[in-house]
Each structure stands twice: as C-alpha cells, then as structure tokens.
C-alpha cells in the first residue's frame, strides 16, 4: 500500500538579539523596505509573517511602532546595534509530517 506524508504548518523557534537591527550591509538581505514593512504588529505577529515566507530567515522588529522588516541571509555577528530594535532569527527547524496510512497522492 501507499502512505501519504503531508508537511504540517511550521512554527519556527527564534533566537532573539535584543538591541539589534538587520539590513543590507549589516547582517541581512532586505525582503521588506522601509516603505513596505508593515506597522502595528506584535513581535509574535512579526514572526508569523516570517514563518509564512520561505525566503525569510529573520525579522527586525521595532516595538515602538510595531514595525516588522523581513530579512534573509541573516548573520547575527554583523547586526547593527540599535537600542529599541530587536532581531529574531529562525532556529533550524525539523520538519513535522502528518502520515496518512494506506493513501497515495499523485
């Protein structure tokens, strides 16, 4: 028989780097610009936004405005040190799959 494995929605764990910002030339490649980054988010909502984007490796979050910038190619040792900003970096995640015994997907 066949078994079908379906990847479950991933929720990544993040390492937080308080007082840092990631952007081009400072440990990150910009996905969001200053003009396209959403505002009014919580840190959790910002991380959910990153989880929904396969290209996103980290987010810089500005709690004062709830502003969230998605980034990839994140290198924490190169982050800029800026008080009032926090950068959350995805930790390596293991994939979880749901198994459907005796099924086939084609």
């Amino acid at each position: 028989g066949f078994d079908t494995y379906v990847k479950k929605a991933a929720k990544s764990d993040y390492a937080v780097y308080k007082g840092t910002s990631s952007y081009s030339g400072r440990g990150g490649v910009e996905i969001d610009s200053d003009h396209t980054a959403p505002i009014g988010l919580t840190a959790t909502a910002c991380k959910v936004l990153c989880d929904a984007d396969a290209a996103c490796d980290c987010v810089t979050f500005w709690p004062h405005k709830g502003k969230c910038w998605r980034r990839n190619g994140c290198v924490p040792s190169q982050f800029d040190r800026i008080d009032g900003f926090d950068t959350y970096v995805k930790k390596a995640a293991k994939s979880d799959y749901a198994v459907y015994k005796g099924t086939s997907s084609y």
Side-chain angles (χ1 to χ4, degrees):
F2 294 96
D3 295 333
T4 301
Y5 290 79
V6 178
K7 192 171 184 179
K8 295 178 182 175
K11 193 176 106 182
S12 302
D13 281 336
Y14 287 81
V16 62
Y17 295 83
K18 294 248 178 217
T20 67
S21 180
S22 172
Y23 52 88
S24 184
R26 293 303 302 221
V29 177
E30 296 173 0
I31 296 172
D32 291 304
S33 72
D34 206 38
H35 298 290
T36 63
I39 60 171
L41 300 181
T42 62
T44 299
C46 186
K47 291 182 279 186
V48 167
L49 193 64
C50 188
D51 283 342
D53 184 344
C56 185
D57 294 327
C58 71
V59 289
T60 291
F61 182 65
W62 185 25
H64 179 70
K65 295 276 186 184
K67 196 159 185 174
C68 178
W69 293 266
R70 291 170 298 155
R71 304 287 187 239
N72 64 22
C74 303
V75 182
S77 63
Q78 296 177 10
F79 291 167
D80 201 359
R81 299 228 170 262
I82 304 176
D83 287 340
F85 289 78
D86 299 318
T87 301
Y88 296 85
V89 180
K90 279 185 188 175
K91 295 179 182 178
K94 62 182 185 300
S95 294
D96 282 336
Y97 287 84
V99 62
Y100 297 89
K101 296 278 186 189
T103 66
S104 176
S105 174
Y106 55 89

